[in-house]
């Protein structure tokens, strides 16, 4: 069953899909990644190492998991999560309630292709499992570069395909056949969790994504594989 929408309908499809699964999104993520997604997010934040007094941005923040990790570093600054699916941020509001009340965290509605922030605003930028859902990956990378301050670091957590043939086969079976049933059981939407692995299959491999980052302006771009090669963390810096 192919559920990938045509390119011209992708943005609306993705927004509606995430709105449907918002309430069960965190629970499904924990189960389908065996809880490893939280460790991957911590590693991403270690790579960007936001300053204590700085501003950090999470693009495609969803329910705000990255904001919790970023706020642990930015103890005297502010962390911002931006997403164009408002129900996802509403589902995550209790998670950041204390931080928001103290003025240390906020959700902002916005599109990754047109970030609602001035140039040179943020000291660190994160994004996780988002780029495969945008309609123009290079444009999203350029927007993150635009709002980053000189010297800022950006790190991106995304799916990858294991290089070992046996691991790649097992990963495909799990991701494309088991994950949709997990989504149906825990999130109530098998179609959405069929889209996610199909979108991952069409996503550029790590080497290509690193090249895209360099073309968008990010210097010293590199990546590291985690989860037996099932995910990649890409890191780049904005020149001073």
């Amino acid at each position: 069953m192919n559920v990938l929408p045509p390119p011209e309908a992708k943005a609306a499809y993705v927004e509606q899909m995430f709105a449907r699964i918002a309430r069960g999104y965190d629970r499904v993520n924990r189960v389908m990644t065996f809880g490893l997604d939280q460790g991957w997010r911590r590693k991403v934040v270690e790579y960007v190492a936001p300053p204590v007094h700085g501003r950090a941005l999470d693009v495609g923040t969803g329910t705000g998991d990255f904001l919790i990790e970023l706020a642990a570093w930015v103890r005297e600054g502010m962390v911002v999560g931006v997403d164009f699916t408002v129900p996802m941020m509403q589902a995550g509001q209790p998670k950041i309630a204390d931080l928001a009340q103290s003025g240390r965290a906020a959700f902002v509605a916005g599109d990754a292709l047109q970030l609602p922030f001035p140039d040179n605003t943020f000291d660190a930028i994160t994004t996780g499992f988002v780029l495969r859902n945008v309609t123009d990956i290079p444009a999203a990378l350029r927007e993150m570069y635009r709002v980053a301050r000189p010297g800022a670091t950006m790190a991106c957590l995304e799916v990858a395909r294991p290089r070992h043939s046996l691991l790649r086969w097992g990963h495909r079976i799990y991701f494309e056949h088991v994950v949709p049933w997990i989504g149906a059981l825990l999130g109530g939407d098998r179609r959405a969790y069929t889209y996610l692995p199909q979108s991952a299959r069409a996503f550029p491999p790590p080497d290509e994504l690193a090249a895209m980052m360099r073309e968008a302006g990010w210097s010293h771009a590199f990546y590291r594989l985690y989860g037996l090669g099932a995910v990649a963390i890409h890191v780049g810096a904005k020149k001073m």
Side-chain angles (χ1 to χ4, degrees), residues 44-90:
V44 166
V45 175
E46 288 176 12
Y47 276 120
V48 299
V52 172
H53 298 277
R55 292 180 181 177
L57 174 67
D58 181 40
V59 178
T61 193
T63 62
D65 275 347
F66 264 123
L67 297 188
I68 306 301
E69 301 297 336
L70 289 166
W73 288 66
V74 186
R75 296 186 297 276
E76 298 177 35
M78 187 174 187
V79 299
V80 178
V82 62
D83 203 298
F84 78 163
T85 305
V86 172
M88 286 286 281
M89 294 186 289
Q90 290 173 332

Side-chain angles (χ1 to χ4, degrees), residues 6-240:
E8 66 274 12
K10 183 174 181 178
Y13 180 93
V14 168
E15 183 178 10
Q16 294 165 9
M17 179 193 70
F18 279 106
R20 293 197 312 270
I21 65 175
R23 300 182 82 179
Y25 182 78
D26 286 346
R27 182 170 61 253
V28 177
N29 258 8
R30 301 297 176 266
V31 173
M32 75 178 186
T33 67
F34 305 100
L36 295 174
D37 62 303
Q38 293 173 299
W40 298 333
R41 286 186 173 88
R42 281 192 290 273
K43 181 60 69 174
V44 166
V45 175
E46 288 176 12
Y47 276 120
V48 299
V52 172
H53 298 277
R55 292 180 181 177
L57 174 67
D58 181 40
V59 178
T61 193
T63 62
D65 275 347
F66 264 123
L67 297 188
I68 306 301
E69 301 297 336
L70 289 166
W73 288 66
V74 186
R75 296 186 297 276
E76 298 177 35
M78 187 174 187
V79 299
V80 178
V82 62
D83 203 298
F84 78 163
T85 305
V86 172
M88 286 286 281
M89 294 186 289
Q90 290 173 332
Q93 194 64 48
K95 197 183 297 183
I96 69 160
D98 291 343
L99 291 168
Q101 189 172 13
S102 64
R104 293 180 55 211
F107 283 132
V108 175
D111 191 333
L113 302 184
Q114 291 182 305
L115 292 171
F117 309 107
D119 297 357
N120 307 318
T121 299
F122 295 98
D123 301 287
I125 298 177
T126 60
T127 185
F129 304 121
V130 171
L131 289 182
R132 71 178 185 273
N133 296 316
V134 304
T135 57
D136 190 335
I137 295 171
L141 293 170
R142 290 194 298 268
E143 268 295 272
M144 286 187 273
Y145 187 85
R146 178 185 67 79
V147 302
R149 287 177 175 167
T153 301
M154 184 273 282
C156 164
L157 172 64
E158 264 298 350
V159 294
R161 289 176 288 280
R163 291 172 174 172
H164 189 281
S165 58
L166 186 59
L167 288 175
R168 189 165 57 248
W169 175 81
H171 174 261
R172 182 170 181 176
I173 293 297
Y174 175 73
F175 206 32
E176 297 190 7
H177 298 282
V178 177
V179 164
W181 285 108
I182 294 174
L185 290 170
L186 300 180
D189 195 323
R190 185 170 185 267
R191 187 177 179 85
Y193 288 95
T194 300
Y195 161 83
L196 293 173
Q198 288 184 4
S199 68
R201 195 192 313 164
F203 190 68
D207 288 333
E208 288 185 23
L209 184 57
M212 288 180 181
M213 288 177 63
R214 297 183 192 104
E215 290 171 6
W218 296 102
S219 61
H220 309 296
F222 69 92
Y223 67 88
R224 296 287 183 269
L225 297 175
Y226 295 87
L228 299 177
V231 297
I233 297 176
H234 285 71
V235 183
K238 184 170 182 176
K239 290 182 179 179
M240 295 291 291

